[in-house]
Amino acid sequence: MSIVSPIPVLRSSGGTLLQFDDDALVLRRATEELRIPLRAIRRIRSEGRAVTVELTAPAGTAPAVHRVDDVSEAAVALFVDAVNAALTMCTEEADAVDGSTLVTARALTKSAEERRKRRRKIWAFAVGLFHFALSLAVGIHGEWSLALVILLVGPSFGAGSIAFGAMGADSVYRQWYLPRNGITVKAERVGNARVLGGRFGTYAYTDLHGVSRSVYTRSGAPTVQVAYHQDKPHVAIVCEARSSTAGDAALTVALLLFGLGVEGGVITVAIGAFLGMFPGY
């Protein structure tokens, strides 16, 4: 019994990916995905830590070339050998075909959730960098104890409270906007889930595009009402009573005020340290 080694996937340090998929090569970059049929390939060759895919072309014309750099040299060798073995099935008549016309391209866009995660990471990095730079400046000014306080209190209590308040504000806004301007449907309970250690009910519904979606809520009812944005079906909320929304709004305001107060205190302490208001602290 022979064991066939799987064809490796080539992934560059820049995120470009090249893989073998049935009768084609798939080249995926940050913004697009190319599907290159084997019959559109004249040859593929390894160049150390790079691989070059040369497409077929009519006589007298320059062939289109796709190249992936900075990948594993060992993986390149295995990949090229495997693809060349598959190319032996192609006939020489394919050389008369312009291979670039057989390549299909598909634009790649990030999902809404991926964009939100990226924005959160950028904000978290910016907030951390701000507090680190502020505490470092205070420390260099000679107030290392205050610098430590700024570094510990600012990001956790100040920025953290503001972040939770912002999420609460977004939820409260959706509770007000979606039931009035979105589409409200009935969702049925299909199971349970644990989110951040809490026990939630899982409710499923189908949007206007026929896509099945689910939401989570602490409700134990067999059905709940879900309101979602007609142009952005992934934006949805479980409709709640006004008293519950009012409580969420009050908590949101409290978190935002507390966070802003802490951040204001941190900045005030930093300014005081620069002005020498805490000698020998």
Side-chain angles (χ1 to χ4, degrees):
M1 178 178 176
S2 62
I3 300 177
V4 179
S5 300
I7 300 176
V9 175
L10 303 183
R11 188 185 301 273
S12 74
S13 59
T16 300
L17 181 145
L18 181 65
Q19 65 182 26
F20 187 89
D21 183 23
D22 294 332
D23 60 346
L25 298 184
V26 176
L27 177 61
R28 184 177 296 114
R29 299 189 178 96
T31 59
E32 68 173 353
E33 179 183 276
L34 302 180
R35 186 173 182 84
I36 309 171
L38 292 182
R39 61 193 179 95
I41 301 174
R42 170 177 290 169
R43 59 179 175 174
I44 179 171
R45 61 182 183 273
S46 60
E47 300 174 358
R49 293 175 56 85
V51 59
T52 300
V53 180
E54 182 180 319
L55 304 188
T56 58
T61 61
V65 175
H66 297 284
R67 180 184 174 92
V68 180
D69 295 299
D70 197 21
V71 292
S72 167
E73 187 171 353
V76 166
L78 292 173
F79 185 87
V80 169
D81 289 344
V83 174
N84 281 330
L87 289 177
T88 58
M89 304 296 294
C90 300
T91 64
E92 294 183 358
E93 296 177 358
D95 288 341
V97 178
D98 185 355
S100 60
T101 63
L102 303 177
V103 177
T104 56
R106 180 171 67 93
L108 298 179
T109 57
K110 293 185 177 180
S111 66
E113 181 61 26
E114 290 175 331
R115 290 194 295 270
R116 285 195 296 270
K117 287 182 178 179
R118 179 176 175 81
R119 285 196 297 267
R120 286 196 292 264
K121 289 180 179 179
I122 292 175
W123 276 107
F125 176 79
V127 168
L129 183 62
F130 167 76
H131 287 92
F132 175 78
L134 188 62
S135 61
L136 182 62
V138 172
I140 293 176
H141 199 70
E143 306 290 349
W144 286 105
S145 297
L146 293 177
L148 182 60
V149 171
I150 291 173
L151 190 60
L152 294 177
V153 173
S156 56
F157 293 96
S161 296
I162 293 174
F164 280 112
M167 289 188 291
D170 180 63
S171 177
V172 170
Y173 173 75
R174 292 183 183 185
Q175 282 289 347
W176 173 83
Y177 178 84
L178 292 179
R180 292 168 175 78
N181 302 281
I183 298 176
T184 302
V185 296
K186 183 182 292 185
E188 297 184 350
R189 189 183 184 96
V190 294
N192 299 308
R194 286 194 173 275
V195 181
L196 298 177
R199 188 178 180 85
F200 289 76
T202 304
Y203 293 82
Y205 67 97
T206 302
D207 66 21
L208 56 82
H209 302 293
V211 178
S212 179
R213 300 183 183 275
S214 60
V215 293
Y216 306 97
T217 181
R218 291 186 182 277
S219 173
T223 62
V224 295
Q225 287 189 341
V226 174
Y228 65 89
H229 199 293
Q230 61 179 356
D231 297 325
K232 304 173 184 177
H234 62 278
V235 178
I237 54 94
V238 176
C239 299
E240 298 179 350
R242 289 185 178 180
S243 59
S244 178
T245 303
D248 292 341
L251 179 60
T252 294
V253 172
L255 286 171
L256 288 173
L257 291 177
F258 177 76
L260 290 172
V262 171
E263 285 298 312
V266 165
I267 294 175
T268 300
V269 168
I271 294 175
F274 295 144
L275 297 177
M277 296 175 60
F278 309 105
Y281 184 83

